[in-house]
């Protein structure tokens, strides 16, 4: 199977639907956006041996490569439109490609996000996706918009993916799914456009990602540890292990956001329709840095940092 047969078999699904022109020409062509809207663009790369094992289920790799990108759109409140896929493969393994494309397209279809092009080359297994999304002008949930007095919220539950990494083969299916098949919170991001001020997706751990919001917004934050929603599996781990899993463990892809207290009830009302837990876990304060407070209001040990590839 040559390069072009590979592309047409696994990545070309026929005439473009949402875009003017998709896979097959020198460029894809998108329709110009409606007046009053902007384009949101994000790129995330998954490298075998670093973000996933080369032996990982290919459908999960396809799902996750797109999911982490859609999660970035969700964190800005953007609606997914289209994506490109740059793929390096050690060989044209049909079984792998079938699984990979099926996992990727299942999630793409769920979010009506169209593959419009990409690049395919031989090389160490590497998957790089760029997503494009749409946003009304001025509606983005930017990291630099948090204000002292804001409530701090997080969706879903934290620590499940980190627990799956720690347990490896012994992980339960629920935690395994959190790690392998994260669900990008796109609908939540859209619903928060007019309710939240700042948002970020929790990819590197809550404390570290909240630190990015604080730095960009020039504010501090206080997190109440007892209010942090824990993945069910954490009940089985030792109590002293739970803060590191839930606050510093990455890969959960939940949304962390700040919002004015007057929006509390509107935000709480989203949980039912979205089928998603929304927890108020603290607040934005003047100053700088993230403080986590235990059940008695005492600061908990520092050292819960975000994952840093070059640290
Ligand atoms: P060019 O040589 O003009 O860069 P390519 O030969 O790399 O074009 O690709 C041919 C067509 O296939 C292009 O439309 C490109 O966007 C598309 N394409 C290549 N690889 C992929 C991929 N992995 N997924 C989707 N589309 C792809
Ligand atoms: Mg090319």
């Amino acid at each position: 199977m040559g390069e072009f047969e590979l592309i047409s078999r696994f990545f070309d699904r026929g005439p473009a639907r949402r875009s003017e022109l998709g896979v097959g020409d020198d460029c894809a062509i998108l329709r110009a956006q409606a007046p009053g809207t902007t384009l949101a663009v994000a790129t995330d790369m998954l490298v075998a041996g670093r973000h996933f094992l080369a032996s990982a289920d290919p459908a999960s790799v396809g799902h996750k490569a797109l999911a982490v990108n859609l999660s970035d759109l969700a964190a800005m409140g953007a609606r997914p439109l289209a994506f490109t896929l740059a793929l390096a493969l050690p060989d044209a393994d049909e079984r792998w490609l079938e699984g990979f494309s099926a996992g990727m397209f299942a999630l793409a279809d769920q979010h009506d996000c169209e593959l419009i092009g990409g690049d395919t080359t031989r090389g160490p297994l590497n998957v790089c996706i760029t997503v494009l999304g749409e946003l009304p002008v001025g509606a983005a949930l930017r990291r630099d918009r948090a204000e002292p007095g804001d409530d701090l919220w997080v969706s879903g539950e934290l620590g499940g993916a980190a627990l799956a990494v720690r347990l490896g083969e012994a992980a339960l299916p629920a935690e395994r799914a959190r790690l392998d098949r994260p669900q990008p919170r796109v609908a939540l991001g859209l619903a928060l456009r007019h309710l939240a001020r700042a948002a970020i997706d929790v990819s590197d751990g809550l404390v570290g990602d909240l630190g990015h919001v604080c730095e960009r917004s020039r504010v501090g934050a206080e997190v109440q540890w007892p209010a942090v929603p824990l993945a069910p599996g954490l009940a089985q781990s030792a109590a002293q292990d739970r803060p590191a899993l839930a606050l510093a463990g990455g890969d959960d892809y939940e949304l962390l956001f700040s919002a004015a207290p007057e929006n509390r009830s509107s935000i709480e009302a989203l949980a039912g329709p979205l089928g998603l837990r929304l927890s108020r876990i603290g607040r934005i304060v003047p100053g700088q840095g993230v403080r986590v407070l235990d059940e008695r209001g005492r600061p908990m040990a520092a050292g819960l940092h975000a994952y840093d590839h070059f640290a």
Side-chain angles (χ1 to χ4, degrees), residues 34 52 69 72 131 139 181 197 237 239 246 272 275 282 290 293 305:
F52 64 95
N69 278 281
D72 283 324
V131 277
R181 304 265 181 147
R197 260 199 271 266
S237 57
V290 175
L293 305 173
H305 298 298

Side-chain angles (χ1 to χ4, degrees), residues 3-4 6-8 10-12 21-28 83-89 97 100 104-105 115-121 128:
E3 177 186 335
F4 301 102
L6 186 160
I7 294 166
S8 90
F10 296 104
F11 299 116
D12 186 352
L21 188 62
V23 173
D25 213 312
D26 294 311
C27 285
F83 66 107
T84 63
L85 166 69
L87 195 57
L89 297 167
L97 282 158
F100 173 83
M104 181 185 72
F105 283 129
L115 179 63
I116 54 167
D119 199 24
T120 306
T121 173
C128 182

Side-chain angles (χ1 to χ4, degrees), residues 42-109:
T43 298
D44 249 318
M45 179 160 68
L46 297 191
V47 179
R50 174 146 291 272
H51 300 99
F52 64 95
L53 296 174
S55 61
D57 165 36
S60 296
V61 176
H63 173 101
K64 189 161 179 175
L66 182 58
V68 301
N69 278 281
L70 291 174
S71 179
D72 283 324
L73 290 184
M76 297 301 278
R79 182 186 304 285
L81 288 175
F83 66 107
T84 63
L85 166 69
L87 195 57
L89 297 167
D91 47 44
D93 177 340
E94 292 183 33
R95 207 192 53 83
W96 193 90
L97 282 158
E98 249 156 44
F100 173 83
S101 59
M104 181 185 72
F105 283 129
L107 184 66
D109 291 346

